[in-house]
């Protein structure tokens, strides 16, 4: 009953705001999920699973820190250590390399973040600029991040970005207040909107975190952006026209983040490592609460919210994967911890040596066959699960 009361109150608040917001939105119950850690079968959401080795290490080595962005006809891999991106086909073969290391036009020192826009272009973030390439590696434009920062009234610190419609959304914080904020800019670097979930701190119960970052985070779902922060009791969805619509209410209960520096016993959402499909939302959670299922020295866990049932479940921790995973009951392969979603597929990346070890531990015939062609110098294997 309390969940419906929360949703009803939020509905009243949104109705009084004068904004064009949805009439009803579901509630993700963090408090209930904290006592509901159990296996979730991959077959509940997916119909098949495939294993795709990623190209040749000699052509394009993929190191430990990289960014995966699937597309309709292939995959972008942004590799931080060599400051390049690659475009692989759906067969896993290298089609093109993008960008180069340096400080000149079209070059960058290190990939801090990367993404694919709605037109299939690759967008790479360096320390001071965004560089836009098409799939052929042709430079299409550069956005000066120094210019963007100079146009924010509060000198907001910008962290990661995501492309949304014809805009870029930078999520970060205002260092003066530790307040999470999201800055939307156009392709010319003009700031078109700054989203501040707490626009009038004096008139609300919100108190900035003392000495702690309250950084905004976000994930993409279809053509929209879903934004959260450490105090979020609502996940808001922005459409390509930047209209703000409440997507999910979040009920923390006794795990709600306290104001000030006190965070013991709390749980927060990290939307940066979250994703959404037609059937479920996978939320990355950071927990400072003493929960029995948490792995030692690991505060990050994963919650699955089932859209059909409205139930939220914490995934169990897999020692083999060192992550919180779905149980792969489709082919008996390794536990599945999604790294990305695109269209009707979700993706997991497994290092070659780890994949070889997992193929011995789990019973998937296809894993064992793929492992025969791998060695310690091989690129990672892309695990592709097709959604129902």
């Amino acid at each position: 009953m309390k969940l419906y009361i929360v949703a009803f109150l939020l509905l009243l608040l949104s109705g009084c705001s004068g904004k064009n917001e949805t009439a009803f939105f579901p509630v993700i119950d963090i408090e209930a999920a904290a006592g509901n850690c159990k296996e979730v079968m991959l077959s509940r959401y997916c119909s098949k699973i495939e294993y795709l080795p990623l190209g040749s290490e000699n052509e394009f080595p993929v190191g430990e820190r990289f960014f995966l962005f699937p597309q309709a006809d292939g995959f972008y891999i942004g590799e931080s250590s060599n400051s390049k991106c690659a475009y692989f086909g759906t067969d896993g073969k290298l089609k093109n390399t993008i960008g180069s290391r340096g400080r000149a036009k079209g070059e960058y020192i290190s990939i801090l973040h990367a993404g694919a826009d709605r037109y299939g272009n690759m967008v790479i973030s360096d320390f001071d600029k965004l560089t836009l390439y098409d799939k052929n590696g042709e430079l299409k434009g550069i956005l000066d991040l120094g210019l963007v920062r100079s146009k924010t009234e509060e000198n907001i610190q910008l962290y990661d970005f995501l492309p949304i419609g014809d805009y870029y959304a930078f999520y970060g914080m205002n260092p003066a207040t530790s307040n999470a904020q999201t800055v939307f800019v156009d392709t010319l670097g003009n700031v078109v909107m700054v989203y501040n979930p707490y626009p009038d701190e004096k008139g609300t119960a919100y108190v900035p975190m003392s000495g702690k970052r309250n950084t905004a985070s976000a994930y993409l779902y279809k053509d929209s952006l879903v934004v959260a922060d450490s105090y979020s009791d609502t996940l808001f969805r922005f459409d390509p026209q930047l209209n703000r619509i409440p997507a999910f209410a979040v009920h923390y209960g006794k795990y709600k983040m306290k104001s000030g520096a006190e965070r013991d016993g709390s749980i927060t959402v990290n939307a940066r490592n979250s994703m959404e499909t037609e059937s479920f939302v996978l939320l990355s959670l950071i927990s400072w609460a003493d929960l029995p299922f948490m792995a030692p020295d690991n505060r990050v866990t994963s919650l699955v919210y089932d859209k059909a049932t409205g139930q939220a479940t914490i995934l169990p921790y897999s020692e083999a994967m060192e992550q919180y995973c779905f149980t792969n009951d489709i082919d008996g392969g390794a536990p599945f911890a999604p790294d990305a979603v695109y269209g009707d597929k979700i993706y997991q990346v497994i290092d070659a040596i780890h994949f070889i070890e997992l193929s011995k531990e789990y019973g998937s015939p296809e894993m064992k066959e793929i492992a025969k062609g791998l060695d310690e110098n091989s690129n990672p294997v892309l695990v592709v699960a097709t959604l129902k």
Side-chain angles (χ1 to χ4, degrees), residues 101 115 156 233 306 355:
R101 185 177 178 84
I156 298 169
D233 61 4
D306 189 292
F355 189 90

Side-chain angles (χ1 to χ4, degrees), residues 207-247:
V207 180
M209 298 175 69
S210 176
K212 306 294 182 182
R213 288 182 176 180
N214 181 22
T215 306
S217 57
Y219 67 82
L220 289 173
Y221 174 57
K222 294 185 176 180
D223 58 352
S224 65
L225 183 81
V226 180
V227 178
D229 74 277
S230 298
Y231 288 92
S232 295
D233 61 4
T234 308
L235 302 184
F236 284 99
R237 196 184 307 279
F238 290 84
D239 66 18
Q241 290 73 46
L242 307 188
N243 296 308
R244 181 170 65 94
I245 305 165

